[in-house]
Amino acid sequence: MTFQTTDLCDANEGLLAEGRLRVLEPHFRHFGGRQRFSGPISTLKLFEDNSFVRKQLEQPGYGRVLVVDGGGSLRCALLGDQLAEMAVRNAWGGVLVYGCVRDTAAIGTLDLGVMALAPHPQKSLKRNVGEIDVTIAFGGVRLHPGEWLYADEDGVLVSETPLT
């Protein structure tokens, strides 16, 4: 991928002004082997339960980015190496977690974009509770299923439409 979020912001100042292109607050760290990733968004809303993360990543990703609103919890991880490997096998473009991840050394070797708030060694609960493809909000922006996410070393953008 050749885009840079800085260039996308500069080239789309009108979209930024209109709110059709939004910049997430810089709370996220890279953990995956791919630092730059993009794709249409699929969303999850859950709390300290990664059952639905598995359900989504078991499905073909078609280059999509799974955006997980984990409520910003820093008490357990919502993604580990096994689920990240599943994401690679099923052609997901990346995973952005508003929460924690674990097995970061292994995730760092995978050809997958992974961003999260922090690492955490404890796994999540398994209650099978969550919501799929709903509008979520964190990092100062609202994210809608089907919008486009662009992430690199400088930050994360969300656009209503694909950017060139």
Side-chain angles (χ1 to χ4, degrees):
M1 296 194 181
T2 58
F3 73 87
Q4 291 183 304
T5 56
T6 53
D7 292 341
L8 291 175
C9 283
D10 293 350
N12 294 283
E13 289 179 353
L15 294 177
L16 282 166
E18 295 168 4
R20 296 177 53 211
L21 175 62
R22 300 168 311 278
V23 180
L24 267 73
E25 294 169 349
H27 302 294
F28 297 91
R29 295 172 46 190
H30 284 276
F31 293 97
R34 190 185 304 164
Q35 297 291 298
R36 184 172 291 140
F37 60 99
S38 66
I41 295 171
S42 177
T43 64
L44 289 177
K45 185 173 180 71
L46 46 87
F47 189 72
E48 297 180 358
D49 176 353
N50 75 346
S51 304
F52 277 51
V53 176
R54 174 176 291 280
K55 284 182 181 185
Q56 282 300 90
L57 295 178
E58 285 175 339
Q59 305 302 314
Y62 304 108
R64 291 178 294 163
V65 175
L66 183 61
V67 180
V68 181
D69 179 356
S73 173
L74 300 176
R75 299 190 306 191
C76 67
L78 297 174
L79 179 80
D81 61 341
Q82 293 177 5
L83 293 182
E85 288 170 1
M86 183 182 298
V88 172
R89 281 194 308 274
N90 291 323
W92 286 85
V95 182
L96 176 79
V97 180
Y98 185 50
C100 296
V101 296
R102 66 188 222 155
D103 305 311
T104 59
I107 289 174
T109 68
L110 300 175
D111 185 23
L112 180 69
V114 176
M115 294 181 78
L117 298 176
H120 198 292
Q122 185 176 339
K123 66 182 178 179
S124 77
L125 301 172
K126 307 287 190 268
R127 296 179 307 231
N128 206 31
V129 176
E131 297 176 81
I132 298 173
D133 282 330
V134 296
T135 298
I136 56 178
F138 58 80
V141 303
R142 294 177 68 78
L143 300 97
H144 307 278
E147 291 186 312
W148 281 73
L149 183 137
Y150 296 85
D152 69 6
E153 303 83 357
D154 290 312
V156 181
L157 306 177
V158 177
S159 175
E160 290 181 0
T161 57
L163 302 175
T164 56

